[in-house]
Amino acid sequence: MKVLLNSEIKLYRNISGYNFPSKLNYEEAQEIVDEVSVPLLEEGYEKFTIEGLNSFEKLDLFEEGKITAGVLENEKLSAVFLQEGSPAVLLNGEDHIMITKSSDELNFEEIYEEVSKVDDLLDSKLIYAYREDFGYLTSNPQRCGTGMVLESIVHLPATDYLGANSILSSLKRLGYSATPFTNGSSKFVGSIFRISPDRTIGQREEEYIDKFTNILKEVVDMEEQNRKKLYLERIIDLEDLVNRAYATLKYCRIIDEEEMISKMSDLFLGIELSILKPKKDIELMETINKFKNGHLQIERGSLLDVKSRNILRANNIRKMMKEVF
């Protein structure tokens, strides 16, 4: 059963002698971009200035998780360096440098090796802002220390259905946050959550990774047990939930992003518990991403109003349902 959907590491670094990006002027920002460019271009990275991208290129990179809202907000100062299969390097977003890499497996140690190589490369050419008592200095005090943020996206439909409040409270007490997988909405949509530790001061990277990995293994195990419980003890409720999602997605004529995520969550629960039997394999995150607002507009090649997006999304979902079932 697929519970963990994505694992990501972000390393935040700042260059000594410069203000944080919120206080940078254009000349200082360009100096940072130029300093970082030299070693990355030598390693085969390609440089993109955010201001030089068109609206759809920005939207595409944002939807793929290769740039952040902070980079977009600072587009006159920011840049991104990309290389196929390598960590992305973002400049002048929330901090001077963010090195990030994600995976669809629980393999933080492997991801850390990759981002560390890029970090070591830059560290050999730059002077990072660092203090012995605080570690790496970042614009967000909670990231000081390792300057590393771990994040996982998990699918917890059975736990959510049976009552997710207890696990969310437990995670909070242990120093972890669990937020809904939505773009800015406060609603808990589709039983998909982002889980990450709240702070990084006082821990070594290896310890930080080990603790978080163990927490995630417990979360995954709990969800698997709850799925079995739901199937064995509440099969009628489960079949009703899944078939309502199936019917909505198969016959909808207009559907917004939040409802799409919610129904896809229920649909995939049905697939994984063999209530529904698709003709071909599909992945939850990949499927959701195809029907998100940004992807729809990229596909159409124009910015769409809300109703047009929701109609196009419904049309595309009906086509997918016909192909898969």
Side-chain angles (χ1 to χ4, degrees):
M1 290 184 280
K2 186 72 170 176
V3 177
L4 187 133
L5 305 178
N6 183 267
S7 301
E8 183 174 21
I9 292 181
K10 300 172 184 175
L11 286 184
Y12 293 88
R13 301 288 188 257
N14 289 283
I15 301 174
S16 182
Y18 290 95
N19 290 321
F20 289 129
S22 60
K23 300 293 185 181
L24 281 178
N25 60 40
Y26 181 79
E27 289 73 23
E28 291 170 329
Q30 287 305 116
E31 288 177 12
I32 290 171
V33 173
D34 291 342
E35 283 191 59
V36 176
S37 293
V38 175
L40 290 179
L41 293 175
E42 288 177 352
E43 285 295 310
Y45 272 85
E46 188 173 359
K47 171 185 168 185
F48 300 90
T49 59
I50 304 305
E51 191 176 25
L53 300 172
N54 64 43
S55 297
F56 293 107
E57 288 170 332
K58 293 173 191 173
L59 194 55
D60 190 28
L61 290 174
F62 182 74
E63 288 290 318
E64 291 182 5
K66 292 178 179 176
I67 60 175
T68 63
V71 165
L72 289 173
E73 289 170 7
N74 285 347
E75 65 172 31
K76 293 185 182 299
L77 309 177
S78 58
V80 60
F81 290 80
L82 302 173
Q83 184 178 49
E84 185 68 32
S86 299
V89 183
L90 287 64
L91 302 187
N92 296 328
E94 296 176 22
D95 291 275
H96 297 154
I97 301 168
M98 186 180 88
I99 307 166
T100 180
K101 173 83 174 180
S102 65
S103 166
D104 60 359
E105 298 178 7
L106 183 55
N107 57 344
F108 282 114
E109 291 183 358
E110 293 175 27
I111 302 172
Y112 180 60
E113 285 184 15
E114 294 189 52
V115 296
S116 287
K117 287 179 182 177
V118 179
D119 186 37
D120 291 343
L121 171 68
L122 296 179
D123 192 21
S124 69
K125 305 293 184 181
L126 308 168
I127 300 175
Y128 282 153
Y130 183 88
R131 278 178 45 169
E132 290 296 332
D133 51 349
F134 283 111
Y136 292 102
L137 304 181
T138 61
S139 60
N140 183 339
Q142 288 188 318
R143 296 188 191 127
C144 290
T146 63
M148 179 170 69
V149 171
L150 307 179
E151 181 180 275
S152 276
I153 298 176
V154 292
H155 185 212
L156 308 177
T159 301
D160 190 27
Y161 188 85
L162 296 171
N165 288 337
S166 60
I167 182 175
L168 299 180
S169 298
S170 297
L171 286 170
K172 187 174 181 179
R173 285 195 301 273
L174 292 169
Y176 297 86
S177 63
T179 56
F181 176 72
T182 53
N183 290 331
S185 169
S186 61
K187 295 181 180 178
F188 279 70
V189 177
S191 307
I192 302 173
F193 300 90
R194 297 181 189 272
I195 300 178
S196 63
D198 282 336
R199 57 184 59 85
T200 69
I201 289 180
Q203 298 184 71
R204 293 182 300 104
E205 287 85 350
E206 293 79 8
E207 178 186 11
Y208 184 35
I209 288 171
D210 188 54
K211 283 184 177 180
F212 189 45
T213 298
N214 288 333
I215 287 289
L216 287 173
K217 287 178 178 178
E218 290 182 21
V219 170
V220 169
D221 181 65
M222 181 192 60
E223 170 64 18
E224 290 176 346
Q225 294 303 316
N226 282 337
R227 290 185 189 187
K228 292 175 184 176
K229 182 178 180 180
L230 194 57
Y231 186 87
L232 294 172
E233 299 179 10
R234 304 179 69 168
I235 185 64
I236 297 299
D237 293 335
L238 176 61
E239 289 178 338
D240 182 68
L241 181 76
V242 169
N243 283 292
R244 284 175 184 271
Y246 176 87
T248 297
L249 295 171
K250 185 170 183 178
Y251 298 109
C252 63
R253 290 298 183 271
I254 184 167
I255 186 169
D256 65 22
E257 186 174 286
E258 289 186 352
E259 185 180 10
M260 178 273 293
I261 294 173
S262 178
K263 298 305 181 185
M264 285 294 178
S265 170
D266 295 341
L267 184 82
F268 273 78
L269 176 62
I271 291 172
E272 291 175 3
L273 293 180
S274 299
I275 292 171
L276 299 174
K277 301 187 186 302
K279 293 183 289 187
K280 64 178 185 178
D281 292 336
I282 51 175
E283 294 289 333
L284 177 56
M285 286 301 296
E286 181 183 335
T287 303
I288 284 175
N289 288 337
K290 284 197 316 187
F291 301 122
K292 292 181 73 176
N293 293 333
H295 188 90
L296 293 173
Q297 293 176 107
I298 293 165
E299 176 192 308
R300 180 54 62 93
S302 61
L303 298 177
L304 303 171
D305 60 52
V306 173
K307 187 170 184 180
S308 297
R309 284 201 308 262
N310 292 345
I311 291 172
L312 176 60
R313 183 177 5 257
N315 290 341
N316 289 356
I317 288 173
R318 292 200 312 275
K319 290 176 186 175
M320 182 273 291
M321 294 293 287
K322 189 174 182 180
E323 291 171 1
V324 171
F325 295 99

